[in-house]
Amino acid sequence: MELREMLAKSSPEESLTAHLSATLDGALALRRRVGEISFVDQVTGGRFWAAVCLAALCHDAGKIPDGFQNMLKGLVRSWGERHEIVSLGFLPGLVTDERLLMWVATGVATHHRSLEGGRGPLIKAYGGASDEEWRSRLRPVPENVAVELTGWLARTAREAGLPITAHVPGEVDVIGEARRVFSELLDAWELPVPPDEGLVAVLLQGAVTLADHVSSAHGTLHTRQPVGAGFRPLLEQVFAGRGQVLRPHQTEAASVRGHLLLRAPTGSGKTEGGLLWAATQAAEITHRTGGVPRVFFTLPYLASINAMAVRLGSLLGDDTLVGVMHSRAASYHLAAAICPEDGDDEQAVAARKAVSRAAATRLFRETVRVGTPYQILRGVLAGPAHSSTVIDAANSVFVLDELHAYDPRRLGYILAAARLWERLGGRVAVLSATLPDALARLFRQVLDHDVRLVEASTSGTPPRHRLGLREHRLTDPESIGEIKRRLAGGESVLVVANNVADAQGLFAELAPVTDVAFLLHSRFRRMDRSALEQVIGERFGVGRPRQLGLVVATQVVEVSLDVDFDCLFTSAAPLEALLQRFGRVNRIGSRPPADVVVHAASFAPRRKGGEEYADGVYPRPAVDLGWHILTRHDGKEVDEADARLWLDEVYGSAWGQEWYDDVLRHQQEFTEAFLGFAHPFVSRDELTERFDELFDGTEAVLERDRDAYEADLTTGHKAAGRLLAERYLIPMPHWAAPLTTWEKRLGVRVVDADYDERLGLGEIHGRAFQNYQAGEVL
């Protein structure tokens, strides 16, 4: 056989040299996009990108053994060995610098499997094998092809300007050299390594893996940042078309060079201020590193992420410039692509396109991305599956919108990640209408570089809300009677309960008294939730004509929908959450102050006992503190500046100090558990499960939808069919998995429960019904 006959892939066929060339091109493109990472060169002696590119070029050279080629040609079902191990045998003939050789070998060996732990660890398969066993398992390797491939690798590397030896040997003992290099590699990574070295190892693995994936998918990486030097003129032009100019806090944010905290009320152009800051940072990082920074805009809820993606795409004039980063990105693209009247064939085509678009984002194509912070945080799980996220985050810009300070654990983890992003050359901004001083102190304490606070002026801003307190619960008959009277008066009314059970009960009481009523919470099927959010936005969206009607919701309404109501009735919650709820009423201050009515919460321990929670959701101390402050202002108009002072009072209390210490404890906990990288090539499977429990829930399909789910799975392309089937999934928290049964054949959890398109998930039946109350899932 000859080199030109060697394959890298079989479906469709791709020659080995074509794939290696494409992967090298991918690595070179990644180098141009990421640029220089200062501390990385200190660890590697300036060898990092050379190691990445050489590893990308050589990563699949070990596919030339007869066993692998026969597998690709269908002559045998499986080879049973690892091609990346054989690839190591080509490196000594190309690289004489021993330090560079180890970095290259690291990238080659770890681009598919962990050295230790996880699925098929390399040390278990090859670490104790003798020379004879290596040769018997991995041979035959066609000698003439090995020599020809070594020469081809040398020429290709030299043409790319990579540092290789000038002499290419006439004979190549691929298996013997592979065993020697692998043994040295295990020695190099056997003991714990310093934090910087471990992080560089993860970056190297991520870069090689990403280059390989981009090559295999025949994808491309965008090499232009639209939120860069040309963004401000574009935004000013858009504003001019509306008869607007940039506001002082927006221009001040644009002048900041470093980390930013932007405190600005709803409707003041906070988002535009954050984007102007991002444009300045992107231009500066490009100048410093020579790369093309990525801009990440994060939000806590899917609906707000989707809306921001549309908004950014419209502003930039091209929605293909914006990637959507969340677990349901393909569903978002599908919803944008199909029309209600589309038939099965049109929906199947749209699903295939949506899958392709989401896959492109997973390959880090776009330089502007909107998502949750947790999608970026997943990079800390490292390994072949996640390390690409870490290299992609290097020299990037992060805009964190609407962080919830009252959740100390997740805030602590985000702070730990922000410190990592800074270490990787990135810059971080936090945007909030209700940014307490304690949160500002935390970011200043955790980040090494300066953090600038920019605050929008609230002077002359008319108050938007009038506060009212009620000592009875939101679900009491007296409360329901008051809400009914407002509905009878022709108002649009928002009711926010703290849990699903209360929301469902309130909706049952209130919906019959009005012709237009909606219930919104997190326990709907995906397709029903999307339809609800769309119709609610169309009727009650900001700037739309005033229309009467009712929306009963849970916390999902706090920042997920850009809606505007005449009045609000809500259960007591932490003050920060309440202020977010207030923001759904008289949103842009175009009317006289509107009523926001807060009802006392019910406190009780959760079923396992212990501390008390408001309506089973919020710890009592934070709710009590907020309630105490609100009692001093009952019946008064709420000023934006006063609201911030209220938050400072809450976080300045003894409870606030406990909260502050708790955040830092979680930040340190996350750093120690996920960010040490002392053993960068040991599988982190156990951390993956822990991470998913912290940030991800589970999903289930109704027993009654099982057949429809299965039918969609078999529609056309496998990934497209699964996307269509996902419309039936209902999100549930991770701990609720025992309430479901696992359907192995379909790869989905199934729940036997009542369900109504207007009410969502109801009573659960079967073996779990004794442990569950309708609406209890929060």
Side-chain angles (χ1 to χ4, degrees):
M1 295 184 68
E2 298 180 1
L3 178 58
R4 60 184 176 82
E5 300 176 83
M6 294 289 126
L7 297 178
K9 313 232 177 241
S10 59
S11 181
E13 281 194 1
E14 182 179 19
S15 73
L16 178 59
T17 54
H19 176 63
L20 295 179
S21 291
T23 307
L24 172 59
D25 288 343
L28 292 169
L30 185 62
R31 180 177 69 180
R32 290 190 294 270
R33 193 162 87 158
V34 173
E36 300 303 321
I37 311 170
S38 57
F39 86 94
V40 168
D41 283 338
Q42 297 170 13
V43 173
T44 63
R47 298 170 173 86
F48 178 77
W49 284 114
V52 168
C53 292
L54 284 168
L57 174 63
C58 299
H59 76 293
D60 278 358
K63 289 184 174 181
I64 67 170
D66 290 355
F68 192 92
Q69 291 298 309
N70 288 338
M71 180 182 67
L72 290 183
K73 294 172 183 176
L75 301 177
V76 296
R77 183 175 181 181
S78 175
W79 182 35
E81 304 295 342
R82 298 305 309 172
H83 67 272
E84 59 267 38
I85 289 294
V86 180
S87 299
L88 296 175
F90 290 89
L91 303 183
L94 301 172
V95 183
T96 55
D97 182 325
E98 287 297 322
R99 189 175 179 190
L100 176 59
L101 175 62
M102 277 299 98
W103 283 113
V104 176
T106 297
V108 168
T110 64
H111 76 278
H112 282 306
R113 299 287 179 91
S114 299
L115 292 181
E116 183 177 344
R119 182 176 64 91
L122 298 178
I123 190 172
K124 182 178 180 180
Y126 299 100
S130 66
D131 181 76
E132 181 181 358
E133 184 179 348
W134 271 65
R135 294 182 185 278
S136 65
R137 289 169 57 182
L138 299 172
R139 293 177 68 183
V141 176
E143 181 65 26
N144 64 312
V145 176
V147 172
E148 187 180 359
L149 179 56
T150 303
W152 180 89
L153 290 170
R155 290 192 303 275
T156 305
R158 193 174 296 111
E159 290 169 2
L162 300 177
I164 63 165
T165 181
H167 174 67
V168 177
E171 295 182 1
V172 184
D173 181 10
V174 174
I175 303 304
E177 291 288 11
R179 182 171 182 267
R180 179 179 68 82
V181 172
F182 184 69
S183 177
E184 294 174 359
L185 192 65
L186 295 183
D187 290 343
W189 297 108
E190 179 182 10
L191 298 177
V193 297
D196 281 356
E197 187 173 351
L199 179 54
V200 170
V202 172
L203 292 168
L204 174 73
Q205 181 187 48
V208 176
T209 303
L210 177 53
D212 184 28
H213 288 171
V214 170
S215 168
S216 296
H218 303 287
T220 58
L221 300 174
H222 287 182
T223 56
R224 182 177 73 87
Q225 177 49 263
V227 184
F231 178 74
R232 179 167 179 171
L234 171 64
L235 185 61
E236 289 177 329
Q237 182 180 357
V238 171
F239 273 24
R242 303 173 186 166
Q244 300 174 334
V245 295
L246 296 182
R247 301 183 182 185
H249 65 277
Q250 293 170 333
T251 56
E252 185 179 356
S255 71
V256 173
R257 285 161 173 77
H259 305 308
L260 170 72
L261 300 172
L262 177 58
R263 182 188 289 142
T266 300
S268 65
K270 170 167 54 73
T271 297
E272 289 79 5
L275 291 171
L276 286 166
W277 168 85
T280 298
Q281 312 321 304
E284 288 217 336
I285 291 174
T286 295
H287 178 74
R288 171 168 53 86
T289 68
V292 182
R294 278 71 61 219
V295 171
F296 297 92
F297 200 105
T298 75
L299 290 148
Y301 292 106
L302 297 186
S304 53
I305 291 167
N306 296 345
M308 180 57 67
V310 172
R311 183 176 175 183
L312 276 176
S314 176
L315 179 61
L316 298 174
D318 185 353
D319 66 354
T320 65
L321 297 174
V322 181
V324 178
M325 293 178 57
H326 57 64
S327 59
R328 303 178 199 168
S331 296
Y332 160 76
H333 292 304
L334 178 62
I338 64 175
C339 300
E341 61 272 16
D342 282 347
D344 291 343
D345 290 343
E346 289 87 355
Q347 291 194 9
V349 171
R352 287 194 292 272
K353 292 180 178 178
V355 168
S356 296
R357 179 78 186 273
T361 297
R362 286 196 298 273
L363 287 173
F364 311 100
R365 178 183 64 177
E366 300 92 351
T367 55
V368 178
R369 281 175 242 145
V370 185
T372 67
Y374 315 116
Q375 292 298 109
I376 315 172
L377 257 65
R378 288 194 72 85
V380 305
L381 297 174
H386 303 288
S387 54
S388 294
T389 302
V390 185
I391 186 68
D392 183 59
N395 293 332
S396 289
V397 181
F398 302 86
V399 182
L400 310 180
D401 197 7
E402 300 296 357
L403 282 186
H404 280 179
Y406 57 80
D407 186 340
R409 184 181 65 180
R410 295 193 181 195
L411 178 58
Y413 294 171
I414 290 172
L415 283 168
R419 186 178 179 89
L420 172 66
W421 298 333
E422 180 188 54
R423 182 69 177 133
L424 293 173
R427 294 182 182 177
V428 181
V430 176
L431 317 182
S432 178
T434 57
L435 178 70
D437 285 346
L439 183 57
R441 290 200 307 274
L442 280 167
F443 271 90
R444 289 192 170 110
Q445 180 171 344
V446 168
L447 297 175
D448 290 332
H449 296 97
D450 289 341
V451 180
R452 171 101 165 263
L453 174 64
V454 172
E455 189 164 7
S457 173
T458 57
S459 62
T461 303
R464 294 185 293 152
H465 307 123
R466 181 187 300 104
L467 177 65
L469 298 186
R470 305 290 186 267
E471 293 292 339
H472 44 269
R473 295 187 72 240
L474 182 63
T475 53
D476 286 356
E478 187 175 351
S479 305
I480 292 171
E482 184 177 5
I483 297 170
K484 287 180 177 179
R485 289 191 292 274
R486 300 299 284 262
L487 289 169
E491 295 184 74
S492 60
V493 180
L494 174 63
V495 179
V496 183
N498 285 338
N499 61 53
V500 177
D502 283 352
Q504 290 174 327
L506 285 163
F507 185 77
E509 292 272 4
L510 296 169
V513 305
T514 179
D515 293 332
V516 181
F518 305 97
L519 174 65
L520 182 65
H521 54 74
S522 57
R523 305 303 163 218
F524 282 95
R525 296 183 304 186
R526 286 191 188 181
M527 57 184 175
D528 298 332
R529 169 82 178 266
S530 297
L532 274 170
E533 289 177 342
Q534 181 176 352
V535 71
I536 289 171
E538 289 173 352
R539 186 173 184 90
F540 302 107
V542 174
R544 294 183 178 271
R546 310 300 304 164
Q547 298 190 64
L548 65 84
L550 167 72
V551 172
V552 179
T554 59
Q555 301 90 328
V556 299
V557 79
E558 287 176 13
V559 295
S560 64
L561 293 176
D562 191 17
V563 288
D564 190 6
F565 291 85
D566 291 325
C567 59
L568 165 73
F569 292 85
T570 177
S571 295
L575 187 55
E576 190 176 20
L578 289 177
L579 293 175
Q580 292 286 358
R581 297 176 190 183
F582 293 176
R584 309 306 115 182
V585 175
N586 198 14
R587 190 155 173 77
I588 57 176
S590 59
R591 305 185 302 281
D595 290 328
V596 290
V597 181
V598 183
H599 294 256
S602 176
F603 296 101
R606 288 176 172 169
R607 285 186 293 174
K608 293 183 179 180
E611 64 177 311
E612 292 187 329
Y613 288 81
D615 302 321
V617 181
Y618 301 107
R620 180 164 191 160
V623 179
D624 279 344
L625 281 166
W627 180 265
H628 177 71
I629 292 170
L630 293 179
T631 57
R632 305 199 303 262
H633 303 275
D634 187 15
K636 298 178 182 178
E637 295 177 354
V638 177
D639 184 271
E640 302 282 355
D642 289 342
R644 183 182 68 77
L645 295 177
W646 299 350
L647 281 176
D648 287 342
E649 183 176 344
V650 168
Y651 289 106
S653 66
W655 172 86
Q657 185 58 54
E658 293 178 5
W659 167 87
Y660 193 94
D661 295 339
D662 205 19
V663 173
L664 290 178
R665 179 175 61 81
H666 285 300
Q667 180 251 330
Q668 186 62 31
E669 173 188 283
F670 190 81
T671 299
E672 292 175 355
F674 291 96
L675 303 182
F677 304 118
H679 295 280
F681 304 116
V682 174
S683 170
R684 292 185 156 203
D685 285 353
E686 76 286 353
L687 291 181
T688 302
E689 182 176 349
R690 181 174 164 190
F691 187 95
D692 290 344
E693 289 179 358
L694 292 173
F695 295 118
D696 292 335
T698 187
E699 291 181 300
V701 64
L702 294 166
E703 177 70 40
R704 77 182 204 195
D705 288 335
R706 184 203 302 256
D707 290 344
Y709 182 88
E710 183 173 4
D712 273 352
L713 283 179
T714 60
T715 300
H717 186 272
K718 181 179 179 180
R722 182 160 293 279
L723 174 57
L724 288 171
E726 287 174 354
R727 297 177 295 178
Y728 294 97
L729 292 175
I730 299 174
M732 302 174 76
H734 197 278
W735 58 261
L739 303 178
T740 68
T741 56
W742 175 249
E743 179 64 68
K744 183 177 181 180
R745 182 173 59 86
L746 300 180
V748 70
R749 295 189 180 279
V750 178
V751 60
D752 183 7
D754 294 336
Y755 183 85
D756 183 274
E757 283 75 7
R758 295 189 74 199
L759 300 177
L761 188 67
E763 183 177 354
I764 290 182
H765 306 289
R767 62 183 178 84
F769 80 97
Q770 292 181 336
N771 300 317
Y772 179 79
Q773 299 175 15
E776 184 181 33
V777 178
L778 303 174

